[in-house]
Amino acid sequence: METNLPIYKWENFEFLVDVENNSVRETSNPRNTYSMFQMNDLGKEGYSFEHYDESTGKSFMVDLPPLVTLDPNGMALKYNKSVEEIQGSSDFEVMVDQDLLKKRISSGQLPTITIADSIFYADARIDLLRPKDDFSTMGIRFDDLDDYYVVETNTYAFPYNPRTHEIGKLDYENITEYPKDLLFVEIPDVKVLDPVGWNRRNGWPETDDLKWVGLKLEFEAKIVPWKQTGIDDLITENRLKKPIQKAVKAQENSFKNKRGPKL
């Protein structure tokens, strides 16, 4: 409950600590909400952020202790641990599965995602979704999925060819029915699928932002029914255009025939 959130006092200011949403907000002015994702991460020391005080028109740098210190009960509940288990731990150690981290970094295990019964390795470092058991294709480049990125859900939603394990090709100008050989799938953004590889590719520390992005090694794509993709309007439009196109083509052929052969 909102009223049960712990309050952190810093000088003359008070902030509600919202572990569930990784944020803090000023009690006297809830518009002043600060996402911890945008704060300076000081490691075991906690965080710092710039707070603007509307009453004085001045800005202050606020020092914020770790979440495990501010709200140990909330952190234990959120990450399915006991309060005793998280005692003495850093936020990073609680928020990021340490066993998975060891597998990913020390053992080099790549995350996988299952797309329609086929397993792909997600390797952001080399910009590839690589089929595990199909060596006839390189797979799908994340860069090629940029055109299918959905901002609202932080996912890629795209037509997929389960036979070739590649992005499916649609003839948007002429499609008049649901594709029979293609699926429409939704998968997480590259930074969610392989945050460690993403950091390596960009030259950042391997564990950068893992607290906020999360770390998983197994994913499954969502298969979206074609009727839920918004393609129905396009199909209807193309079906309406087809008789017109046919009539125009017939008229053009008739005109050519009347002119006779070229000399």
Side-chain angles (χ1 to χ4, degrees):
M1 294 291 292
E2 181 88 4
T3 55
N4 292 331
L5 294 179
I7 293 177
Y8 172 63
K9 296 181 180 181
W10 186 84
E11 295 192 356
N12 297 323
F13 306 103
E14 291 186 347
F15 299 92
L16 283 171
V17 179
D18 189 346
V19 162
E20 188 61 35
N21 294 300
N22 295 321
S23 65
V24 298
R25 54 187 172 276
E26 190 177 10
T27 56
S28 61
N29 187 359
R31 288 181 302 172
N32 286 333
T33 298
Y34 304 95
S35 169
M36 307 194 78
F37 179 75
Q38 297 173 320
M39 295 181 186
N40 299 315
D41 192 338
L42 306 178
K44 291 185 178 181
E45 300 302 317
Y47 312 88
S48 67
F49 64 95
E50 185 176 8
H51 169 59
Y52 177 72
D53 181 21
E54 293 182 359
S55 64
T56 62
K58 296 180 179 179
S59 294
F60 303 86
M61 287 303 296
V62 178
D63 295 320
L64 191 71
L67 291 176
V68 289
T69 300
L70 290 168
D71 188 8
N73 290 317
M75 286 289 280
L77 182 63
K78 182 176 181 179
Y79 294 99
N80 196 30
K81 298 177 182 293
S82 67
V83 174
E84 291 72 25
E85 283 182 281
I86 67 173
Q87 284 181 348
S89 299
S90 65
D91 282 1
F92 183 84
E93 290 168 334
V94 174
M95 298 167 78
V96 179
D97 189 310
Q98 299 301 301
D99 290 334
L100 293 185
L101 183 63
K102 184 176 180 180
K103 289 179 181 178
R104 180 65 186 94
I105 293 181
S106 301
S107 303
Q109 182 175 329
L110 287 171
T112 62
I113 181 167
T114 302
I115 307 179
D117 298 326
S118 293
I119 297 175
F120 287 74
Y121 290 112
D123 193 341
R125 187 182 62 82
I126 60 173
D127 188 42
L128 272 184
L129 266 179
R130 179 165 47 88
K132 178 183 178 183
D133 300 313
D134 181 2
F135 302 101
S136 65
T137 174
M138 289 294 291
I140 300 171
R141 295 176 66 241
F142 285 111
D143 280 353
D144 291 337
L145 288 173
D146 284 345
D147 292 337
Y148 302 94
Y149 180 69
V150 182
V151 176
E152 294 77 8
T153 56
N154 194 30
T155 60
Y156 305 111
F158 59 97
Y160 167 71
N161 190 323
R163 182 179 59 83
T164 63
H165 301 127
E166 297 173 339
I167 297 174
K169 295 180 180 179
L170 286 178
D171 184 356
Y172 293 99
E173 294 292 329
N174 298 298
I175 186 170
T176 56
E177 61 182 15
Y178 294 150
K180 293 182 174 62
D181 301 324
L182 301 180
L183 300 173
F184 197 85
V185 302
E186 184 178 284
I187 67 173
D189 173 65
V190 55
K191 189 173 180 179
V192 175
L193 284 172
D194 184 19
V196 172
W198 175 258
N199 288 335
R200 287 172 175 169
R201 182 182 180 187
N202 290 280
W204 300 323
E206 291 178 317
T207 59
D208 195 47
D209 283 346
L210 282 191
K211 285 197 291 190
W212 320 119
V213 176
L215 180 64
K216 290 176 59 177
L217 293 183
E218 294 182 357
F219 296 84
E220 186 162 352
K222 177 182 178 182
I223 308 298
V224 182
W226 281 107
K227 63 182 179 180
Q228 295 179 13
T229 66
I231 202 174
D232 284 358
D233 290 341
L234 181 60
I235 289 175
T236 299
E237 182 181 339
N238 286 340
R239 285 178 176 174
L240 291 173
K241 286 192 308 183
K242 204 166 185 178
I244 299 174
Q245 293 171 338
K246 187 176 181 181
V248 170
K249 190 172 183 179
Q251 188 177 27
E252 290 176 347
N253 290 336
S254 175
F255 180 71
K256 289 178 183 178
N257 292 334
K258 286 181 181 179
R259 291 181 61 185
K262 291 183 179 179
L263 297 177

